[in-house]
Short mmCIF file of all heavy atoms in Angstrom, two decimals:
data_model
loop_
_atom_site.label_atom_id
_atom_site.label_comp_id
_atom_site.label_asym_id
_atom_site.label_seq_id
_atom_site.Cartn_x
_atom_site.Cartn_y
_atom_site.Cartn_z
N GLY L 50 -45.04 -36.93 -23.07
CA GLY L 50 -46.48 -37.10 -22.92
C GLY L 50 -46.97 -37.20 -21.49
O GLY L 50 -48.18 -37.14 -21.27
N LEU L 51 -46.08 -37.36 -20.52
CA LEU L 51 -46.54 -37.42 -19.13
C LEU L 51 -47.23 -36.11 -18.78
O LEU L 51 -46.73 -35.04 -19.08
CB LEU L 51 -45.37 -37.66 -18.18
CG LEU L 51 -45.76 -37.70 -16.69
CD1 LEU L 51 -46.63 -38.90 -16.39
CD2 LEU L 51 -44.53 -37.71 -15.82
N HIS L 52 -48.38 -36.22 -18.15
CA HIS L 52 -49.19 -35.05 -17.81
C HIS L 52 -49.28 -34.96 -16.28
O HIS L 52 -49.56 -35.94 -15.60
CB HIS L 52 -50.59 -35.22 -18.39
CG HIS L 52 -51.50 -34.10 -18.12
ND1 HIS L 52 -51.52 -32.96 -18.88
CD2 HIS L 52 -52.46 -33.94 -17.17
CE1 HIS L 52 -52.44 -32.13 -18.41
NE2 HIS L 52 -53.01 -32.72 -17.37
N ILE L 53 -49.01 -33.77 -15.73
CA ILE L 53 -49.22 -33.51 -14.31
C ILE L 53 -50.40 -32.54 -14.23
O ILE L 53 -50.36 -31.45 -14.78
CB ILE L 53 -47.98 -32.88 -13.64
CG1 ILE L 53 -46.76 -33.76 -13.80
CG2 ILE L 53 -48.26 -32.64 -12.15
CD1 ILE L 53 -45.47 -33.12 -13.30
N GLY L 54 -51.45 -32.98 -13.56
CA GLY L 54 -52.66 -32.17 -13.45
C GLY L 54 -52.83 -31.61 -12.05
O GLY L 54 -52.35 -32.19 -11.07
N PHE L 55 -53.51 -30.48 -11.99
CA PHE L 55 -53.78 -29.80 -10.72
C PHE L 55 -55.26 -29.47 -10.70
O PHE L 55 -55.73 -28.68 -11.52
CB PHE L 55 -52.92 -28.53 -10.62
CG PHE L 55 -51.47 -28.81 -10.90
CD1 PHE L 55 -50.96 -28.58 -12.18
CD2 PHE L 55 -50.64 -29.35 -9.94
CE1 PHE L 55 -49.63 -28.88 -12.48
CE2 PHE L 55 -49.31 -29.64 -10.24
CZ PHE L 55 -48.80 -29.40 -11.50
N GLN L 56 -56.01 -30.09 -9.79
CA GLN L 56 -57.46 -29.93 -9.80
C GLN L 56 -57.92 -29.20 -8.56
O GLN L 56 -57.47 -29.47 -7.45
CB GLN L 56 -58.16 -31.27 -9.93
CG GLN L 56 -57.82 -32.30 -8.89
CD GLN L 56 -58.30 -33.69 -9.27
OE1 GLN L 56 -58.66 -33.96 -10.42
NE2 GLN L 56 -58.31 -34.59 -8.32
N ARG L 57 -58.84 -28.24 -8.79
CA ARG L 57 -59.37 -27.43 -7.69
C ARG L 57 -60.24 -28.30 -6.79
O ARG L 57 -61.11 -29.05 -7.26
CB ARG L 57 -60.22 -26.29 -8.21
CG ARG L 57 -60.87 -25.46 -7.08
CD ARG L 57 -61.78 -24.36 -7.57
NE ARG L 57 -61.07 -23.37 -8.35
CZ ARG L 57 -60.26 -22.43 -7.84
NH1 ARG L 57 -60.03 -22.37 -6.55
NH2 ARG L 57 -59.68 -21.55 -8.63
N VAL L 58 -60.01 -28.16 -5.49
CA VAL L 58 -60.84 -28.78 -4.48
C VAL L 58 -61.18 -27.70 -3.47
O VAL L 58 -60.29 -27.14 -2.80
CB VAL L 58 -60.09 -29.95 -3.79
CG1 VAL L 58 -60.88 -30.47 -2.60
CG2 VAL L 58 -59.83 -31.07 -4.79
N ASP L 59 -62.47 -27.37 -3.39
CA ASP L 59 -62.89 -26.40 -2.40
C ASP L 59 -62.65 -26.96 -1.00
O ASP L 59 -62.89 -28.13 -0.75
CB ASP L 59 -64.38 -26.06 -2.58
CG ASP L 59 -64.64 -25.33 -3.89
OD1 ASP L 59 -63.74 -24.60 -4.36
OD2 ASP L 59 -65.75 -25.48 -4.45
N GLY L 60 -62.13 -26.13 -0.11
CA GLY L 60 -61.84 -26.57 1.25
C GLY L 60 -60.61 -27.47 1.32
O GLY L 60 -60.45 -28.20 2.30
N HIS L 61 -59.75 -27.41 0.31
CA HIS L 61 -58.54 -28.24 0.30
C HIS L 61 -57.75 -28.05 1.58
O HIS L 61 -57.54 -26.93 2.05
CB HIS L 61 -57.66 -27.87 -0.91
CG HIS L 61 -56.39 -28.61 -0.95
ND1 HIS L 61 -55.20 -28.08 -0.48
CD2 HIS L 61 -56.09 -29.85 -1.40
CE1 HIS L 61 -54.23 -28.95 -0.64
NE2 HIS L 61 -54.75 -30.03 -1.19
N ARG L 62 -57.32 -29.17 2.16
CA ARG L 62 -56.44 -29.14 3.33
C ARG L 62 -55.11 -29.70 2.90
O ARG L 62 -55.03 -30.84 2.45
CB ARG L 62 -57.04 -29.96 4.46
CG ARG L 62 -58.29 -29.29 5.04
CD ARG L 62 -58.94 -30.08 6.14
NE ARG L 62 -57.95 -30.60 7.08
CZ ARG L 62 -58.24 -31.52 7.99
NH1 ARG L 62 -59.42 -32.02 8.06
NH2 ARG L 62 -57.31 -31.94 8.81
N ALA L 63 -54.08 -28.89 3.02
CA ALA L 63 -52.75 -29.32 2.59
C ALA L 63 -52.28 -30.53 3.40
O ALA L 63 -52.51 -30.59 4.61
CB ALA L 63 -51.76 -28.16 2.76
N PRO L 64 -51.62 -31.47 2.73
CA PRO L 64 -51.04 -32.59 3.45
C PRO L 64 -49.95 -32.10 4.39
O PRO L 64 -49.42 -31.01 4.21
CB PRO L 64 -50.47 -33.48 2.34
CG PRO L 64 -50.59 -32.74 1.08
CD PRO L 64 -51.38 -31.51 1.30
N GLN L 65 -49.61 -32.91 5.36
CA GLN L 65 -48.58 -32.54 6.35
C GLN L 65 -47.37 -33.45 6.20
O GLN L 65 -47.50 -34.64 5.96
CB GLN L 65 -49.12 -32.68 7.77
CG GLN L 65 -50.34 -31.81 8.02
CD GLN L 65 -50.02 -30.35 7.91
OE1 GLN L 65 -49.10 -29.85 8.57
NE2 GLN L 65 -50.75 -29.62 7.08
N TRP L 66 -46.21 -32.88 6.32
CA TRP L 66 -44.96 -33.63 6.34
C TRP L 66 -44.30 -33.40 7.65
O TRP L 66 -44.15 -32.26 8.06
CB TRP L 66 -44.05 -33.18 5.18
CG TRP L 66 -42.69 -33.78 5.31
CD1 TRP L 66 -41.57 -33.15 5.78
CD2 TRP L 66 -42.31 -35.11 5.02
NE1 TRP L 66 -40.52 -34.02 5.80
CE2 TRP L 66 -40.95 -35.25 5.34
CE3 TRP L 66 -42.98 -36.23 4.57
CZ2 TRP L 66 -40.25 -36.44 5.20
CZ3 TRP L 66 -42.30 -37.41 4.42
CH2 TRP L 66 -40.94 -37.49 4.72
N PRO L 67 -43.89 -34.43 8.36
CA PRO L 67 -43.94 -35.84 8.01
C PRO L 67 -45.27 -36.50 8.31
O PRO L 67 -45.45 -37.68 8.09
CB PRO L 67 -42.83 -36.45 8.84
CG PRO L 67 -42.76 -35.60 10.06
CD PRO L 67 -43.09 -34.22 9.57
N GLY L 68 -46.23 -35.79 8.80
CA GLY L 68 -47.55 -36.33 9.11
C GLY L 68 -48.04 -35.69 10.40
O GLY L 68 -47.28 -35.17 11.18
N ASP L 69 -49.34 -35.71 10.57
CA ASP L 69 -49.90 -35.08 11.77
C ASP L 69 -50.80 -36.06 12.53
O ASP L 69 -51.76 -35.67 13.14
CB ASP L 69 -50.68 -33.82 11.38
CG ASP L 69 -51.89 -34.11 10.53
OD1 ASP L 69 -52.12 -35.30 10.19
OD2 ASP L 69 -52.63 -33.17 10.22
N GLY L 70 -50.51 -37.32 12.44
CA GLY L 70 -51.29 -38.32 13.16
C GLY L 70 -52.45 -38.87 12.34
O GLY L 70 -53.30 -39.56 12.87
N GLY L 71 -52.52 -38.56 11.05
CA GLY L 71 -53.50 -39.21 10.21
C GLY L 71 -54.60 -38.36 9.66
O GLY L 71 -55.32 -38.80 8.78
N THR L 72 -54.81 -37.12 10.14
CA THR L 72 -55.94 -36.35 9.62
C THR L 72 -55.65 -35.74 8.25
O THR L 72 -56.54 -35.60 7.44
CB THR L 72 -56.36 -35.22 10.60
OG1 THR L 72 -55.24 -34.37 10.83
CG2 THR L 72 -56.85 -35.80 11.91
N THR L 73 -54.41 -35.33 7.98
CA THR L 73 -54.03 -34.84 6.66
C THR L 73 -52.64 -35.39 6.33
O THR L 73 -51.65 -34.67 6.32
CB THR L 73 -54.01 -33.31 6.58
OG1 THR L 73 -53.24 -32.79 7.68
CG2 THR L 73 -55.40 -32.73 6.63
N PRO L 74 -52.54 -36.69 6.06
CA PRO L 74 -51.24 -37.31 5.80
C PRO L 74 -50.65 -36.85 4.47
O PRO L 74 -51.31 -36.16 3.68
CB PRO L 74 -51.56 -38.81 5.75
CG PRO L 74 -52.99 -38.86 5.32
CD PRO L 74 -53.64 -37.64 5.94
N GLN L 75 -49.44 -37.26 4.21
CA GLN L 75 -48.72 -36.89 3.01
C GLN L 75 -49.49 -37.23 1.75
O GLN L 75 -49.40 -36.52 0.75
CB GLN L 75 -47.34 -37.60 3.03
CG GLN L 75 -46.60 -37.50 1.77
CD GLN L 75 -45.26 -38.18 1.86
OE1 GLN L 75 -44.30 -37.60 1.48
NE2 GLN L 75 -45.19 -39.41 2.33
N GLN L 76 -50.26 -38.29 1.72
CA GLN L 76 -51.08 -38.73 0.59
C GLN L 76 -50.25 -39.24 -0.56
O GLN L 76 -50.37 -40.40 -0.95
CB GLN L 76 -52.03 -37.61 0.13
CG GLN L 76 -52.96 -37.17 1.22
CD GLN L 76 -53.61 -35.84 0.92
OE1 GLN L 76 -53.39 -35.23 -0.12
NE2 GLN L 76 -54.41 -35.37 1.83
N ALA L 77 -49.47 -38.42 -1.18
CA ALA L 77 -48.61 -38.79 -2.32
C ALA L 77 -47.55 -37.72 -2.45
O ALA L 77 -47.69 -36.63 -1.88
CB ALA L 77 -49.42 -38.89 -3.60
N HIS L 78 -46.49 -38.02 -3.17
CA HIS L 78 -45.51 -36.97 -3.43
C HIS L 78 -44.80 -37.26 -4.74
O HIS L 78 -44.81 -38.38 -5.24
CB HIS L 78 -44.53 -36.80 -2.28
CG HIS L 78 -43.53 -37.90 -2.14
ND1 HIS L 78 -43.77 -39.00 -1.38
CD2 HIS L 78 -42.29 -38.03 -2.66
CE1 HIS L 78 -42.70 -39.80 -1.43
NE2 HIS L 78 -41.80 -39.25 -2.20
N LEU L 79 -44.19 -36.24 -5.31
CA LEU L 79 -43.42 -36.35 -6.53
C LEU L 79 -41.93 -36.32 -6.19
O LEU L 79 -41.53 -35.67 -5.24
CB LEU L 79 -43.73 -35.16 -7.47
CG LEU L 79 -45.21 -34.96 -7.83
CD1 LEU L 79 -45.37 -33.67 -8.64
CD2 LEU L 79 -45.75 -36.14 -8.59
#
Side-chain angles (χ1 to χ4, degrees):
L51 178 66
H52 181 83
I53 303 174
F55 310 96
Q56 57 193 14
R57 176 184 297 285
V58 171
D59 293 330
H61 177 263
R62 290 179 44 194
Q65 301 296 306
W66 171 258
D69 66 357
T72 58
T73 51
Q75 170 179 228
Q76 300 164 1
H78 72 271
L79 305 174

